Amino acid sequence: MAKAKKAKKLKITQVRSESGRMEKHRRTLRALGLKHYQHSVVQEDSPTLQGMIRKVSFMLDVQEVEE
């Protein structure tokens, strides 16, 4: 029997303010679940999430979390 593979979890922290940024960058932060500067969320890793992180990577700190 094959064991079920656990999905990686990522802790995403906003390290730069969204003020003065393009509207599509602000919307991407909201889609990630980030509400303000220094806010963190834990999300399951997926290709969609990776694309959003890549789009606003200059505003984020991303770490892998053990759960």
Side-chain angles (χ1 to χ4, degrees), residues 2-67:
K3 289 186 178 181
K5 198 174 184 182
K6 273 191 169 181
K8 285 194 312 185
K9 297 234 180 204
L10 299 174
K11 179 180 179 185
I12 306 164
T13 305
Q14 183 178 342
V15 294
R16 295 199 186 269
S17 174
E18 65 181 43
S19 182
R21 304 293 179 185
M22 293 171 34
E23 185 62 31
K24 64 182 177 180
H25 290 167
R26 290 179 188 203
R27 284 193 217 136
T28 302
L29 290 171
R30 294 285 178 233
L32 287 168
L34 298 167
K35 298 179 181 184
H36 53 81
Y37 174 70
Q38 293 298 322
H39 186 229
S40 294
V41 293
V42 176
Q43 302 268 0
E44 282 191 25
D45 193 15
S46 70
T48 304
L49 186 71
Q50 288 293 329
M52 288 191 284
I53 289 170
R54 201 171 301 117
K55 189 166 207 159
V56 291
S57 63
F58 62 96
M59 299 172 69
L60 304 176
D61 180 40
V62 181
Q63 300 171 344
E64 194 171 326
V65 177
E66 297 284 329
E67 282 197 23

